[in-house]
Amino acid sequence: MKVGILCYPSYGGSGVIASDLARHLARRGHEVHVFSYETPFRLQQFEANLFFHQVEVLDYPLFRFPPYLIALTSKIVDVARTAQLDLLHVHYAIPHTPAAYLAREMLARERKLPIITTTHGTDITLVGKDPQFFEVIRFSLESSDGVTAVSHNLAIESKEVFGLEKTPRVIPNFVDVEAYIPQQNPALRSRFALPEEKLLLHISNFRPIKRLEDVVKIFAGVNQVLPSRLLLVGDGPEKVTALQMAQQLAVEERVHFLGRQENVAEIFALSDLFLLPSEKESFGLVALEAMACEVPVVASKTGGLPEVVEHGLTGYLAPVGHTDAMIEGSLKILSNPLLHRQMAERGRKVALSRFRAEPIVDAYEQYYKEILNES
Ligand code: U5P
């Protein structure tokens, strides 16, 4: 098949999954064309059968807001013609699905170009609900030939929010279980923590939805009982809030801001516990990555997280904002080596049995075939 993939290039679950899927499809012999405004960060290496098309927007003084939708649509139309694309797979509906829709309509007399939209979360639950976007997103989801969601929770929410006729097909996110592996690196670990200290980790885009303040509060609570260190990986608007909270709780010297990192697998493997107390997660790819590296997870019981983290088995879940319960769960895990080991091993087992790339890429391939046969 010749597949066009539209995605964001930045640090986030949707761009990571789109890039990993593109690579897997290319290795299976499909011709894959990725569209974005920059090379996605997980797609920097050469891969035969994989082509990147940079969408560049004309810089003209009249355009206070660069017309990305038009530039993306033109690029799709151009590549669809020259490469003879069979279908478009859109990751993150805004603004990719409207662009794909426009391209499909423009090419309607020449060729069929079915569209599959994969909703990833905030495109539906946060941004899509905004009255500014709502009607356009509803229309373009209804006009997609197929819609998938990364969790059951998101599938149901997408259907309900937009009153979709069909429930989206659930195809969960996946993890590279060969890259995300448990590993020992005492030399690197010793740069952040003493052997007797616990190492807690959080990785995200530091947006308000991630509740960085809760991350720091949980860490401070744990540190009162068990001397610990906190690694914060990523960057974003809440960095300052996290720093202020760390100062307020007098733990700033124990909190290490590592900034954005490309190879997080190594950092996961150093850690004893992963914290994800988000307001909302439609899947929580970072929680799955932690599990694959044998790191138990303490997270919010929200959105699709209970479909990834098994409460009491691979970590603990507590209602959003219940930092006391999250501290208690963290302490239970960190103070009981046997429980820690059991949860760590179970996490890896779950990643291997339910979230390996191969069967999930199979599910996408199968869905592509169904949609191509139907259209
Ligand atoms: N990520 C990085 N480096 C960072 C921040 C995030 O690689 O500095 C990756 C996570 O490892 C994960 C994705 O694959 O971005 C975020 O997924 P999610 O939490 O949005 O689901």
Side-chain angles (χ1 to χ4, degrees):
M1 283 179 266
K2 294 183 175 186
V3 184
I5 289 187
L6 283 64
C7 67
Y8 280 101
S10 49
Y11 295 81
S14 70
V16 168
I17 290 298
S19 305
D20 285 350
L21 176 63
R23 194 172 328 98
H24 279 276
L25 290 169
R27 284 183 190 167
R28 290 179 179 203
H30 301 294
E31 188 177 305
V32 185
H33 295 261
V34 175
F35 300 82
S36 197
Y37 53 81
E38 263 168 26
T39 314
F41 80 104
R42 292 266 170 98
L43 219 53
Q44 307 280 352
Q45 281 171 343
F46 171 74
E47 196 72 59
N49 293 339
L50 186 54
F51 304 90
F52 173 64
H53 303 279
Q54 183 160 20
V55 180
E56 277 165 309
V57 183
L58 180 71
D59 187 14
Y60 184 66
L62 186 63
F63 299 152
R64 193 161 150 217
F65 306 103
Y68 185 68
L69 185 94
I70 292 178
L72 176 59
T73 306
S74 304
K75 193 63 115 183
I76 299 168
V77 168
D78 178 28
V79 174
R81 273 195 186 121
T82 49
Q84 307 271 300
L85 292 184
D86 294 312
L87 71 94
L88 294 174
H89 187 179
V90 171
H91 291 266
Y92 206 91
I94 302 167
H96 303 129
T97 309
Y101 172 80
L102 203 54
R104 187 184 69 189
E105 294 304 301
M106 286 167 71
L107 291 164
R109 290 182 181 200
E110 296 166 43
R111 58 185 307 105
K112 281 187 176 162
L113 190 60
I115 301 165
I116 294 174
T117 298
T118 292
T119 61
H120 279 269
T122 50
D123 50 347
I124 300 301
T125 58
L126 205 70
V127 189
K129 274 186 191 166
D130 190 297
Q132 226 183 33
F133 295 109
F134 184 84
E135 279 300 330
V136 179
I137 297 309
R138 193 188 60 74
F139 175 79
S140 42
L141 286 178
E142 282 290 8
S143 311
S144 292
D145 300 272
V147 180
T148 80
V150 296
S151 64
H152 290 279
N153 179 271
L154 182 61
I156 293 164
E157 188 161 358
S158 305
K159 183 170 194 271
E160 282 173 0
V161 166
F162 293 102
L164 302 179
E165 250 173 55
K166 276 204 226 162
T167 308
R169 168 98 42 114
V170 178
I171 303 183
N173 286 340
F174 54 88
V175 63
D176 180 349
V177 291
E178 269 130 49
Y180 288 80
I181 45 169
Q183 26 181 331
Q184 298 284 324
N185 192 341
L188 186 58
R189 194 183 195 280
S190 70
R191 290 177 55 187
F192 300 107
L194 299 169
E196 63 275 19
E197 288 174 333
K198 302 294 178 190
L199 206 47
L200 282 70
L201 173 66
H202 170 80
I203 301 180
S204 76
N205 52 20
F206 290 26
R207 299 243 165 87
I209 204 167
K210 303 292 179 182
R211 297 182 69 96
L212 263 286
E213 281 180 297
D214 283 3
V215 173
V216 178
K217 276 188 206 164
I218 299 164
F219 166 71
V222 169
N223 182 57
Q224 276 191 343
V225 182
L226 295 172
S228 305
R229 301 273 170 172
L230 174 64
L231 301 182
L232 290 175
V233 174
D235 204 358
E238 291 298 293
K239 184 177 172 186
V240 180
T241 322
L243 186 58
Q244 283 168 348
M245 181 54 82
Q247 284 162 342
Q248 203 178 311
L249 299 173
V251 289
E252 74 270 28
E253 295 203 345
R254 296 187 157 267
V255 179
H256 304 268
F257 287 87
L258 303 188
R260 282 189 195 136
Q261 295 288 334
E262 301 238 329
N263 295 315
V264 288
E266 236 184 319
I267 306 172
F268 276 113
L270 296 179
S271 316
D272 300 304
L273 188 68
F274 188 79
L275 301 177
L276 195 61
S278 312
E279 186 79 38
K280 183 89 193 222
E281 287 290 342
S282 293
F283 184 91
L285 184 58
V286 277
L288 174 59
E289 291 169 343
M291 284 159 54
C293 297
E294 294 197 343
V295 182
V297 179
V298 167
S300 307
K301 192 174 178 182
T302 182
L305 271 173
E307 296 172 46
V308 183
V309 180
E310 298 170 334
H311 177 68
L313 294 174
T314 60
Y316 286 116
L317 299 173
V320 175
H322 286 220
T323 47
D324 285 345
M326 295 186 199
I327 293 168
E328 197 185 312
S330 303
L331 285 170
K332 252 193 212 170
I333 300 171
L334 292 171
S335 57
N336 182 340
L338 181 65
L339 179 67
H340 185 276
R341 183 93 308 266
Q342 283 168 344
M343 285 188 164
E345 283 173 5
R346 168 111 189 158
R348 172 96 188 146
K349 233 186 223 166
V350 170
L352 287 169
S353 61
R354 290 176 43 213
F355 298 109
R356 265 174 48 245
E358 287 71 21
I360 293 164
V361 176
D362 285 347
Y364 276 120
E365 240 183 333
Q366 178 57 34
Y367 195 50
Y368 291 176
K369 285 180 194 154
E370 283 174 39
I371 296 297
L372 283 171
N373 285 339
E374 280 168 20
S375 62

